[in-house]
């Protein structure tokens, strides 16, 4: 009987993924019993690829502008021959073109790191979740944190056109976020603040609900865990952007 029930529940992985968006408490209650994540992974990857494709022209355009600026300020770039510069830009454009292929690996790494972090909060708060359940919950949440976030940015970039973006900062300011309150901040500060946008905050709320429903953590611990993931994402963004 148990095996049959689990098989049926695993067959509803798509429903659970959708419920993460429309009925998150129900989704995370289900994930506490049957931690499914295959459908969520597929949806997040597909949405991420779509967003990456839509934003590709804007990223390529910004990359060209940044490289041109570096040629005027960076001695190493300035010392390149025209052929070397063309080759470097071609490599950069190819990386952007094939960025969607890297999304599955990036997603797995992101969810792994977040699962380990929340596992610490689960232990500290005497929660009832384990790595498998936290992993499944975060993978379902990645539909928002990676998938919808990518589609939102890509759609805005495509609607405005590549020429509307002239720097990394302009891309970071494309989506409404806390970065809007500091439009002249350095690119690293803008990267940090830009994570506090609609999808970033939405994902943090979902993490809070997951920690409360799946791990049965107290409200303060669940809030702290969700906030840590949100702030940590911002810090990572600021570290890796140039």
């Amino acid at each position: 009987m148990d095996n049959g029930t689990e098989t049926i529940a695993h067959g509803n992985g798509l429903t659970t993924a959708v419920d993460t968006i429309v009925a998150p408490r129900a989704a995370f209650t289900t994930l506490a019993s049957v931690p499914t994540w295959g459908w969520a992974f597929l949806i997040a990857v597909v949405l991420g690829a779509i967003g990456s494709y839509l934003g590709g022209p804007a990223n390529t355009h910004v990359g060209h502008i940044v490289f041109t600026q570096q040629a005027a300020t960076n001695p190493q770039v300035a010392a390149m021959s025209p052929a070397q510069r063309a080759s470097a830009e071609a490599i950069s454009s190819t990386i952007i073109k094939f960025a969607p292929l890297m999304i599955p690996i990036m997603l797995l790494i992101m969810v792994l790191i977040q699962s380990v972090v929340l596992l610490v909060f689960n232990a500290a708060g005497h929660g009832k979740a384990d790595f498998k359940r936290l992993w499944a919950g975060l993978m379902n949440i990645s539909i928002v944190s990676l998938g919808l976030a990518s589609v939102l940015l890509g759609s805005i970039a495509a609607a405005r056109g590549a020429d509307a973006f002239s720097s990394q900062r302009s891309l970071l300011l494309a989506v409404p976020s806390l970065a809007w309150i500091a439009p002249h901040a350095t690119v690293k500060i803008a990267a940090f603040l830009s994570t506090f946008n609609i999808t970033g905050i939405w994902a943090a709320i979902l993490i809070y609900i997951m920690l409360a429903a799946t791990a049965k953590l107290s409200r303060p611990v669940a809030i702290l865990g969700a906030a840590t993931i949100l702030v940590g994402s911002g810090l990572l963004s600021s570290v890796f952007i140039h």
Side-chain angles (χ1 to χ4, degrees):
M1 180 68 68
D2 289 342
N3 290 337
T5 301
E6 184 173 344
T7 300
I8 294 173
H10 270 286
N12 292 327
L14 179 58
T15 300
T16 302
V18 174
D19 281 348
T20 303
I21 309 299
V22 300
R25 292 189 184 279
F28 295 125
T29 298
T30 299
L31 288 171
S33 301
V34 185
T36 58
W37 57 274
W39 273 106
F41 175 78
L42 179 61
I43 293 170
V45 167
V46 170
L47 291 177
I50 291 172
S52 181
Y53 174 78
L54 291 173
N59 279 296
T60 300
H61 179 67
V62 168
H64 172 72
I65 293 175
V66 170
F67 191 82
T68 301
Q69 292 172 342
Q70 288 179 337
T73 59
N74 188 319
Q76 291 181 330
V77 178
M80 290 181 177
S81 66
Q84 289 174 322
R85 293 182 187 181
S87 176
E89 283 204 72
I91 293 173
S92 177
S93 297
T94 301
I95 291 174
I96 293 173
K97 181 179 180 180
F98 288 98
L101 299 179
M102 296 299 296
I103 289 176
I105 297 174
M106 292 171 56
L107 176 55
L108 291 172
I109 293 174
M110 179 186 77
V111 173
L112 174 61
I113 293 173
Q114 292 179 347
S115 297
V116 172
V117 171
L118 293 186
L119 198 61
V120 174
F121 282 93
N122 180 76
H126 305 289
K128 300 184 181 302
D130 55 13
F131 179 85
K132 180 169 62 176
R133 284 163 177 77
L134 293 173
W135 170 280
L138 287 166
M139 190 62 77
N140 279 270
I141 292 171
S142 73
I143 295 174
V144 173
S145 62
L146 185 146
L148 293 181
S150 180
V151 168
L152 177 60
L153 176 57
S155 298
I156 292 174
R160 292 180 59 186
D163 292 339
F165 303 94
S166 58
S167 65
Q168 288 285 358
R169 183 184 291 103
S170 63
L171 279 173
L172 292 169
L173 293 173
V175 177
S177 68
L178 284 184
W180 281 20
I181 68 176
H184 303 297
T186 65
V187 68
K188 287 187 176 294
I189 293 177
F192 174 75
L193 294 175
S194 69
T195 60
F196 295 81
N197 57 38
I198 183 172
T199 52
I201 294 173
W202 182 3
I205 293 172
L206 290 176
I207 291 174
Y208 162 74
I209 296 173
M210 176 190 72
L211 293 176
T214 304
K216 307 298 182 183
L217 292 175
S218 64
R219 178 176 294 181
V221 177
I223 291 175
L224 184 58
T228 298
I229 296 298
L230 179 58
V231 172
S233 298
L235 292 174
L236 284 176
S237 296
S238 66
V239 167
F240 288 107
I241 197 164
H242 300 286

